[in-house]
Amino acid sequence: MLEELLDKIKEYNPNVDEEQITKAFKMAEEHHAGQKRNSGEDYIIHPYNVALILADMNMDTPTIIAGLLHDTIEDTDVTYEDVQKEFGTEIADLVDGVTKLKKLNYKTKQEKQAENIRKMVLAMARDIRVIIVKLADRLHNMRTLEYMTDEKKKEKALETIQIYAPIADRLGMSKVKWELEDLSLRYLDPENYYKLVDMVNKRRNEREDLINSIIEKLNENLKKIGIEADIHGRPKNFYSIYKKMEFKGRTFEEIYDLSAVRVLVDDVKDCYGVLGVVHTLWKPIPGRFKDYIAMPKPNKYQSLHTTVIDNNGETFEVQIRTYDMHRTAEYGIAAHWKYKSGANKTTSFDENLTWLRQLLEWQKDLKDPDDFMETLKIDFFADEVFVFTPRGDVINLPEDSTPIDFAYRIHSDVGNSCTGAKVNGRIVPLNYKLKNGNIIDIITNPNSGPSLDWLNIVKSPQAKKKISQYFKVKDRDKNIERGEEVLEKEIKRLGYKPSDLMKDEWLEDIKEKMSLGSVEDLYAALGFGSITINQVLSKLIENYKKENKEKEFILPEQIPQRTRRQSQDGIAVKDVDNLKIRFAKCCNPVPGDDIVGYITIGRGISVHRKDCANMKNLTDKDRIIDVYWDKEEGASYNTEIEVKALDKSNVISDVANKINDLKLNLSSLSARTTRDGDLILDIVVEIQSKEELKSLISKIKKVDNVLDAYRVKA
């Protein structure tokens, strides 16, 4: 095994430090001795294969050593200091970097995904080789996934396709990306995967005949004009075919690039020479030519792509690139790590990793795992569109971006003062979806400002962040007042006193943890909605409970027998006195609902609707208690309503105005879109009775573009 590894490294680095590689291999072998993989093989098989994958990428010696040792600190008695003593700080840091990506505890899977990405982003910023080792580690694990349980297979495959394959793509490592995607698909949708393999295999012979005839004809014509080229058939990534069939609704026969050839030449001039010959021999299909040489992808991928059709009606794709471009296309950022000289290691890294700097900037602002993952999918993993400024500069944006996204990418002031846009000289609406090659001209008015509706139109995280910042600054005083008011109101609703919970030292501690400058910033963020009431309230209640540990909790059997007690928050409780009353958030009961009480240890009585799913699924029936409406004059109760509507720019304001017309207090309103493109509004409104709720829902249903409105059940 050691000889094979050294031979592979010597193919690209004849001056390899054999002694260091040997020492690392022996160290891994010795400390993993006795450990087995799920396959039953000795554990050393795994780090050895990781090192082979890194050698395939022509990685430098420290990276290959890190590949051999990447599991030692976590899975054996080897310490960071041991590695540092034997191999130096650089290699010890690489091994430690890979190890730290695993050592995390999470409450939810979404939180786990978000923190995994955050860790990887920070690791990439420190030393990109940490991620290259991690990708090699994941690739070998996916190759041997069949030895895991079915549940683990799906879990690992999903994580790979959602996180690792897109990272490989962003790093330009297409060879790794394709294999990770195909291996993931095999376990996520085995039925369709094998069906697809079968369809590809059935036509393999005719495709090979077609490709051989293309290569022969192209070679013959290139020799006539003196261009030396290597021409090969290009293997097709199963997952890319699957995506086109599953998500774009295409049939197998409609996919153009099942047959493809790749042409490699010495220089850029020859790339365009080959393109001319290809378009002379076969007819190009309109709209299917892409020049990634003139406009490289953000991961530095460069190539000419064209799809053509022959006289028999057969379509096929031709990719044309130089040998250097091909190496970058296969291994991306890994292709920039030179084994010969440390001086070359960071050449053009700044321009290669511009996207990483952007990612580092906005990930600091996104504390919520759901927000982080949603933003990540749009900006980091989404397809892109390339458009031009009027001066011809290329701007890349997430797919489905609008002129507003473009305006904010140019400058915050351009975005804030945007009133219209021209695309290719014609005025378009601000929600127009930009297409590749569009030339965008933004119309501005310095006296104008953004609209909150823009948050539902824009695609890029940068634009959303800048629009939010505008309104945070513009309405800061109102947001501070609203935030403090909302917090006090919610504290009272849960049966606490604001003075008991809103203590200066507790609020100071929360704003520090949330990286906010002052308690006023905390209130402003609450009022604006960039942090949720629960994020603050849960911490305040936690502090209150710690301080009041000595108070005894009342259990059901300790409750004294009485008839009816005086009402609290509009609720009368049978046989009980002096307990806090709170309304369950899972079902938000209002007067007129059939209700029931549930005694919670340390938190008094929670009042639920009788049809609440949480009460139906309850196992501890002894805690259930009779409660009654004893409504106080003017008392109101939070109720959650969901509204489904067409995604039109005026819907949110129309619904909010309808609530305002009825003189009801709107506690919160958030919007999201479904996969089908519909708009969902989640609304919490204060209601005094069930009749008032019915009236509100009836009126919302009559709003233009609203499809449905209903009360949310638990």
Side-chain angles (χ1 to χ4, degrees):
M1 284 162 62
L2 178 59
E3 276 181 32
E4 277 183 34
L5 177 60
L6 288 169
D7 287 345
K8 185 175 275 292
I9 299 169
K10 284 177 193 173
E11 287 173 15
Y12 66 90
N13 181 10
N15 302 316
V16 59
D17 188 337
E18 293 188 42
E19 187 183 334
Q20 285 282 83
I21 299 285
T22 302
K23 187 162 68 167
F25 184 88
K26 296 290 185 190
M27 186 179 195
E29 189 176 36
E30 178 188 337
H31 288 277
H32 285 300
Q35 294 178 354
K36 299 284 184 184
R37 302 201 81 220
N38 288 337
S39 62
E41 297 172 306
D42 289 337
Y43 196 87
I44 188 63
I45 290 292
H46 174 61
Y48 162 69
N49 274 282
V50 169
L52 281 180
I53 291 167
L54 294 168
D56 275 333
M57 299 177 194
N58 293 10
M59 291 304 297
D60 61 351
T61 300
T63 311
I64 291 172
I65 291 174
L68 287 167
L69 301 177
H70 77 275
D71 277 335
T72 52
I73 291 180
E74 184 181 24
D75 294 339
T76 75
D77 56 0
V78 172
T79 63
Y80 172 90
E81 289 71 26
D82 294 334
V83 179
Q84 187 182 38
K85 182 182 174 184
E86 291 295 327
F87 299 99
T89 302
E90 180 187 9
I91 290 170
D93 283 347
L94 282 173
V95 175
D96 191 47
V98 179
T99 304
K100 280 178 178 171
L101 292 178
K102 297 180 183 177
K103 289 190 174 179
L104 294 164
N105 294 313
Y106 313 98
K107 293 175 188 169
T108 66
K109 284 193 176 182
Q110 187 81 333
E111 193 174 292
K112 178 179 178 181
Q113 276 197 340
E115 277 312 310
N116 259 337
I117 296 281
R118 285 189 200 273
K119 283 281 181 181
M120 288 187 200
V121 167
L122 295 171
M124 282 191 275
R126 284 194 290 268
D127 192 332
I128 202 76
R129 291 174 296 175
V130 170
I131 299 303
I132 293 171
V133 175
K134 185 66 187 170
L135 286 171
D137 168 51
R138 177 52 62 113
L139 181 55
H140 182 249
N141 279 333
M142 289 301 294
R143 286 174 179 174
T144 54
L145 200 60
E146 73 261 30
Y147 299 105
M148 292 251 187
T149 63
D150 287 345
E151 188 183 347
K152 270 289 180 191
K153 284 176 191 174
K154 285 202 170 176
E155 186 185 319
K156 291 288 180 189
L158 190 62
E159 187 180 54
T160 299
I161 213 153
Q162 287 183 340
I163 296 177
Y164 290 95
I167 285 178
D169 185 38
R170 265 298 191 170
L171 295 176
M173 301 167 71
S174 60
K175 194 172 182 183
V176 174
K177 174 210 167 198
W178 290 339
E179 191 175 350
L180 288 175
E181 285 178 339
D182 285 353
L183 288 167
S184 299
L185 180 59
R186 178 178 161 193
Y187 295 105
L188 289 173
D189 192 351
E191 184 182 343
N192 280 319
Y193 171 80
Y194 287 111
K195 195 183 290 182
L196 185 58
V197 171
D198 190 48
M199 284 192 286
V200 170
N201 286 337
K202 275 180 184 173
R203 293 186 54 190
R204 185 181 298 278
N205 290 339
E206 60 185 88
R207 269 202 321 280
E208 284 178 356
D209 289 343
L210 173 64
I211 286 169
N212 288 336
S213 68
I214 293 165
I215 292 171
E216 190 179 333
K217 193 171 185 178
L218 193 50
N219 252 326
E220 186 183 316
N221 282 271
L222 289 178
K223 280 176 184 173
K224 285 179 185 175
I225 60 169
I227 293 180
E228 290 290 328
D230 277 343
I231 310 173
H232 305 281
R234 183 176 70 83
K236 190 61 190 166
N237 172 216
F238 287 122
Y239 184 67
S240 67
I241 303 171
Y242 176 85
K243 273 202 304 185
K244 286 172 184 173
M245 292 172 70
E246 286 291 309
F247 306 128
K248 295 190 178 179
R250 295 188 194 169
T251 64
F252 186 70
E253 289 71 26
E254 288 174 323
I255 297 171
Y256 282 131
D257 50 359
L258 281 171
S259 299
V261 295
R262 182 175 291 140
V263 185
L264 303 181
V265 293
D266 288 320
D267 55 40
V268 173
K269 173 177 65 68
D270 285 345
C271 289
Y272 290 99
V274 172
L275 180 67
V277 172
V278 170
H279 284 179
T280 303
L281 294 172
W282 301 284
K283 289 177 185 175
I285 294 175
R288 298 285 303 171
F289 169 64
K290 291 171 186 166
D291 188 343
Y292 293 120
I293 293 179
M295 287 193 298
K297 290 186 178 183
N299 61 17
K300 296 302 164 188
Y301 174 87
Q302 287 185 289
S303 190
L304 298 176
H305 291 197
T306 184
T307 304
V308 294
I309 187 166
D310 67 10
N311 293 331
N312 298 317
E314 290 282 358
T315 58
F316 56 92
E317 186 187 57
V318 182
Q319 292 182 357
I320 309 160
R321 61 179 74 142
T322 66
Y323 292 100
D324 283 344
M325 289 173 192
H326 181 58
R327 172 144 180 74
T328 299
E330 294 274 290
Y331 297 116
I333 206 78
H336 294 266
W337 285 91
K338 305 296 182 185
Y339 57 87
K340 290 178 183 175
S341 163
N344 293 327
K345 284 182 182 176
T346 54
T347 304
S348 69
F349 252 39
D350 279 347
E351 57 189 76
N352 276 309
L353 295 179
T354 305
W355 58 270
L356 180 55
R357 284 200 304 277
Q358 290 172 352
L359 192 59
L360 276 168
E361 281 173 22
W362 62 253
Q363 68 97 21
K364 292 174 190 169
D365 298 322
L366 297 168
K367 309 296 179 191
D368 183 77
D370 292 322
D371 289 346
F372 181 80
M373 288 305 292
E374 190 56 36
T375 306
L376 193 74
K377 284 169 189 172
I378 292 168
D379 194 62
F380 190 54
F381 297 162
D383 290 333
E384 293 183 303
V385 62
F386 295 86
V387 295
F388 294 95
T389 67
R391 294 190 308 179
D393 297 324
V394 180
I395 304 288
N396 62 294
L397 294 162
E399 193 175 41
D400 292 337
S401 287
T402 66
I404 305 171
D405 292 283
F406 176 87
Y408 278 105
R409 180 61 64 87
I410 299 301
H411 196 276
S412 298
D413 291 342
V414 177
N416 289 338
S417 59
C418 170
T419 56
K422 289 181 181 178
V423 171
N424 302 335
R426 295 177 62 186
I427 289 179
V428 297
L430 288 177
N431 62 356
Y432 172 85
K433 290 182 180 178
L434 301 178
K435 298 173 182 63
N436 279 317
N438 283 164
I439 300 169
I440 321 298
D441 195 1
I442 298 297
I443 302 163
T444 60
N445 179 345
N447 299 318
S448 182
S451 161
L452 271 173
D453 286 344
W454 287 6
L455 289 170
N456 298 316
I457 295 171
V458 296
K459 267 289 179 183
S460 60
Q462 293 94 333
K464 286 187 179 179
K465 182 181 169 184
K466 287 172 182 176
I467 295 165
S468 296
Q469 281 174 340
Y470 175 89
F471 284 102
K472 278 182 190 175
V473 173
K474 178 176 176 285
D475 299 329
R476 177 173 167 78
D477 291 342
K478 284 183 187 173
N479 287 330
I480 290 171
E481 190 180 328
R482 190 185 299 125
E484 191 169 5
E485 187 183 312
V486 165
L487 184 58
E488 281 189 7
K489 203 167 197 174
E490 191 64 11
I491 286 171
K492 287 177 183 174
R493 195 182 73 77
L494 292 176
Y496 296 95
K497 291 179 183 175
S499 58
D500 286 343
L501 264 64
M502 293 170 70
K503 294 190 176 180
D504 290 344
E505 63 271 25
W506 293 351
L507 291 167
E508 284 286 336
D509 183 51
I510 292 169
K511 66 97 175 166
E512 287 291 334
K513 285 177 180 171
M514 292 186 166
S515 305
L516 296 166
S518 65
V519 173
E520 279 195 341
D521 289 338
L522 178 68
Y523 288 140
L526 261 177
F528 182 73
S530 54
I531 61 173
T532 66
I533 192 79
N534 285 339
Q535 285 175 283
V536 177
L537 200 49
S538 60
K539 290 181 174 66
L540 292 176
I541 292 173
E542 189 181 317
N543 288 332
Y544 177 80
K545 284 183 176 176
K546 282 179 186 172
E547 199 173 83
N548 292 272
K549 268 183 185 175
E550 70 283 358
K551 292 188 179 178
E552 287 185 13
F553 297 133
I554 300 177
L555 297 172
E557 58 269 22
Q558 298 172 316
I559 294 172
Q561 296 300 304
R562 296 209 174 102
T563 52
R564 254 174 91 143
R565 76 168 190 83
Q566 192 178 351
S567 71
Q568 179 184 329
D569 288 332
I571 295 291
V573 186
K574 185 179 179 181
D575 300 334
V576 181
D577 203 357
N578 299 324
L579 276 184
K580 287 177 186 172
I581 304 292
R582 63 186 181 87
F583 293 97
K585 287 189 175 182
C586 52
C587 56
N588 289 321
V590 296
D593 286 334
D594 290 331
I595 54 174
V596 66
Y598 180 70
I599 299 167
T600 57
I601 296 176
R603 297 187 67 189
I605 295 174
S606 63
V607 178
H608 294 256
R609 281 162 36 200
K610 275 189 177 175
D611 62 355
C612 174
N614 288 336
M615 296 307 290
K616 286 179 182 176
N617 298 329
L618 199 63
T619 53
D620 191 356
K621 303 290 184 186
D622 293 339
R623 295 185 185 278
I624 294 175
I625 191 167
D626 291 333
V627 294
Y628 310 92
W629 289 109
D630 191 8
K631 198 167 93 64
E632 298 168 3
E633 193 63 38
S636 57
Y637 307 84
N638 274 347
T639 304
E640 194 175 347
I641 299 169
E642 192 165 278
V643 178
K644 186 177 182 182
L646 298 175
D647 193 0
K648 303 290 183 183
S649 58
N650 61 330
V651 169
I652 297 176
S653 56
D654 286 352
V655 171
N657 287 338
K658 188 60 67 178
I659 295 169
N660 192 46
D661 290 345
L662 292 168
K663 296 185 169 45
L664 298 174
N665 186 27
L666 179 63
S667 300
S668 71
L669 187 154
S670 60
R672 53 195 165 89
T673 52
T674 66
R675 284 188 175 181
D676 299 330
D678 289 331
L679 183 70
I680 301 292
L681 303 182
D682 296 307
I683 298 169
V684 178
V685 65
E686 289 187 11
I687 295 291
Q688 291 190 4
S689 68
K690 196 170 183 179
E691 288 69 32
E692 192 173 52
L693 174 62
K694 284 179 182 176
S695 172
L696 171 62
I697 289 174
S698 173
K699 284 179 168 55
I700 289 175
K701 284 181 178 180
K702 292 173 184 173
V703 171
D704 286 348
N705 297 310
V706 167
L707 303 173
D708 199 5
Y710 38 85
R711 183 181 183 183
V712 175
K713 292 186 177 180

